[in-house]
Amino acid sequence: MRALVRTAAAATALALLLTGCGGGGDGRPDGRIHLRFQSLAWQKESVDINKRLVKEWNASHPDVQVQYVQGSWDSVHDQLLTSFEGDEAPDVIHDASDDLADFAYGGYLADLRTLLPDRLSADIPRQSWQTTTFDGGVYGVPFLQEPRVLIANTRILKDSGVRIPTPEKPWSWPEFRRVTKELTGKGRYGIAWPLKEPVSVTLNLGLSAGGELFHRGADGKVTLAADRGDQVVPGTIHDQVNTDHSAARTALGMGGGDTLPGLFGGKYAMVPLGFSYRQQVVEQAPKGFEWTVLPAPAGSEGLAQGVSPQTLSVAEDSPHKKEAVEFIDFLLRPANMVRLAKGDWMLPTGTEALADPSLHTRDRGWATGAALAGALRSAPAQSVRGYPEWKDKVATPALQEYYSGAIDAAELKKRLVVDGNRVLARYQR
Amino acid sequence: MSPRTSGTTRAGQYAALLCYLVFLAFPFLWLISTAFKPAPELGSLHPTWIPEHPTLDNFRQAFDEQPLLRAAANSLIAALSAGVIAVVIATPMAYVMARHRSRLSTAATGWVVVSQAFPFVLLIIPLFLVLKQLHLINTLWGLIMVYVVWALPFALWMLVGYVRAVPRELEEAAAVDGAGRLRTLVSVTAPLLAPGIVATALFAFITAWNEFFFALVLLKTPEKQTLPVVLTHFLGAEGASDLGPLAAAAFLATLPSLVLFAVIQRRITGGMLAGAVKS
């Protein structure tokens, strides 16, 4: 035993000495400006492109050197919050717009309005800027976004003879319901809704039918109110599962990726997924599997749907805000934005980047996605304080019960609105 | 109890044990299976236990995309250090608390148990600020310190139980034979505590080896990151994941714990006290 302890102690001491695990020491008195850029890119292509862009910047800007820091989508909010509190936040921060509100209201992020170059301000459409605008300030640059699309088994669609929708002539929600019934057959469902996280899907797609749910009054306070438009999307899903049996009940508890084996195996004719899931389809689909990307159904508001774009922000405590924004501007030059978008299989927000011909090919559904870009709006609730609690405590269980058939539409409405308003009221006193 | 009843009972016990073992082993076996599957099999509607076309591509990709070896080395340093330091500090403390019972030691034991209930998120910001003052952010020393502090209460609690299990009569017999206090502790008590010390060190090691959140928050540069942090780089937003390489990397990440268990499990279960005291 003693020998074991001695060996372990000696090994530890040796390892510590060899690896020099002592102080990091960021102080580099070389007269240069050093920025830290925390990226959440995770797919190999995306990480490679981000690193390459940092390298290109460093090569052309010897006085402002950027260090690439790999972040993680898992726990990013808590990690950033701790870094902000400890004055250790990265200078340039990659995140999603729906995560920014707390940081923006908390004073942790720099208001970019006076720092952004005109080129970048003009290049990104107003509806995208809305996703990062809080209390009149702009706290991030939205640069990548993804609509929800229908990924479909081409062979099943063709064999069924249903009309194939296009962004110009999408399915309406009633037509979509009819089509899924037609696509349903022995051992096959017309659609599988992966609704492990049902709230954002329901709210974001609900915009197409005029569903707003969250209404901001003249006093700035937000209240919940459901009208007919709010019931179109949840009603369709509910009826597909419980009345038509054209949607797989087992898929309701799944995440997006979990439905892919069923799609590949012909168990589901279509699955609604984020645009970037195409990469997993390309990687995992069996040989010979034919698939296509269709636009989500349209309602009274056309193809409108909510998104929470990926963003780049600058820490309020960064001593080099101007240089940080210059770096962001470099990253988001149209050509670079196209590279970033392709690396993540998403759409760029920038108008010029979006016009790039390589994003309009029919291959792998790029053209369908690009055609939807103009209809993307700010996700309905992302700047509403109290939304996370409403989502977790009220909306998620209520929608899950509704979709499974445990409660009816009236009970759903009561819970989302009446119970929900009680939650929001606590945040808006 | 009749032999027939005994046999039935035993069969039931074995069945229950088998079910439990299958339940415990399932995630690990599935992880191994996934790690060796090519991408098309990962997306199969009818998954198989044994990969039809086993491949090492996931391992190649995992090593190609992330610095797994460096991260494993960092994890090993942090976990080994935490294990060793925790038992070095906890052992004498546990001895005092077990042998000299007082209101203070009872209160200390209670506090130790209560302290385990604090969530990470509650502690991380003050801890971050303290470590920053000590210039220990982004250092493995800082992380090791956190791991030791985090493991110490439970280690202490475990060791107190082990010390109490060592019969006082042995120490008294040593004293009668002329051994001094220190000699008794070193030559008589410590060897008998060995299984407890090993188990405690193992607990501290595994806690540190698997820990994610402190490492994520305290380590800034890629060179310092530990294995659990690097594993999350295979995960994207909204649960998307690079499943094959993730499984391969996660499988590799479980190996050190398994090897450690295999090497020292006899130490834990050896029953070194057997026959020490004639009752």
Side-chain angles (χ1 to χ4, degrees), chain A residues 1 12 16 19 21 23-24 36 42 44 67 69-73 75 78 82-83 86-88 261-262 264 283-284, chain B residues 39-40 43-45 64-65 77 81 128 132 139-141 194 198 213 217 220-221 225 232-234 236-237 242 267:
Chain A
M1 177 62 213
T12 308
L16 289 171
T19 54
C21 73
R36 278 193 302 136
W42 67 282
K44 185 174 172 9
Q67 183 193 16
V69 179
Q70 183 67 62
S72 163
W73 284 104
S75 302
D78 292 333
T82 310
S83 302
D87 297 331
E88 285 282 337
F264 301 150
E283 277 186 2
Q284 293 179 12
Chain B
S44 169
L45 185 59
D64 184 36
E65 289 180 18
I77 292 164
S81 307
F128 191 93
K132 195 182 166 207
T139 68
L140 283 184
W141 277 119
V198 171
F213 188 58
V217 170
K220 302 286 171 195
T221 50
Q225 287 180 334
T232 64
H233 296 164
F234 294 106
D242 209 352
R267 296 273 181 186

Side-chain angles (χ1 to χ4, degrees), chain B residues 99-171:
Chain B
R99 286 288 187 254
H100 304 283
R101 292 198 192 189
S102 63
R103 281 185 186 166
L104 185 66
S105 67
T106 308
T109 309
W111 172 246
V112 160
V113 175
V114 169
S115 69
Q116 291 293 295
F118 293 127
F120 279 22
V121 176
L122 196 72
L123 301 175
I124 189 67
I125 290 175
L127 197 64
F128 191 93
L129 294 173
V130 169
L131 288 174
K132 195 182 166 207
Q133 288 296 318
L134 297 171
H135 301 287
L136 287 173
I137 297 292
N138 200 31
T139 68
L140 283 184
W141 277 119
L143 191 66
I144 290 164
M145 196 183 283
V146 172
Y147 287 168
V148 169
V149 172
W150 193 253
L152 212 48
F154 195 74
L156 199 56
W157 190 55
M158 275 177 82
L159 279 170
V160 165
Y162 278 101
V163 174
R164 282 184 186 151
V166 175
R168 276 175 188 270
E169 290 88 337
L170 285 175
E171 293 174 6

Side-chain angles (χ1 to χ4, degrees), chain A residues 182-203:
Chain A
E182 283 183 51
L183 294 175
T184 302
K186 198 178 174 194
R188 186 178 76 217
Y189 293 94
I191 193 157
W193 285 96
L195 290 175
K196 194 174 170 185
E197 303 281 346
V199 182
S200 62
V201 180
T202 307
L203 291 181

Side-chain angles (χ1 to χ4, degrees), chain A residues 276-324:
Chain A
S276 62
Y277 270 92
R278 293 169 303 137
Q279 192 212 17
Q280 289 198 32
V281 176
V282 168
E283 277 186 2
Q284 293 179 12
K287 260 187 183 172
F289 179 76
E290 293 175 38
W291 58 283
T292 187
V293 175
L294 308 175
S300 59
E301 301 296 315
L303 287 165
Q305 60 172 285
V307 287
S308 297
Q310 293 189 20
T311 57
L312 292 171
S313 303
V314 177
E316 174 64 19
D317 284 343
S318 169
H320 308 295
K321 294 189 189 70
K322 181 174 148 283
E323 291 78 8

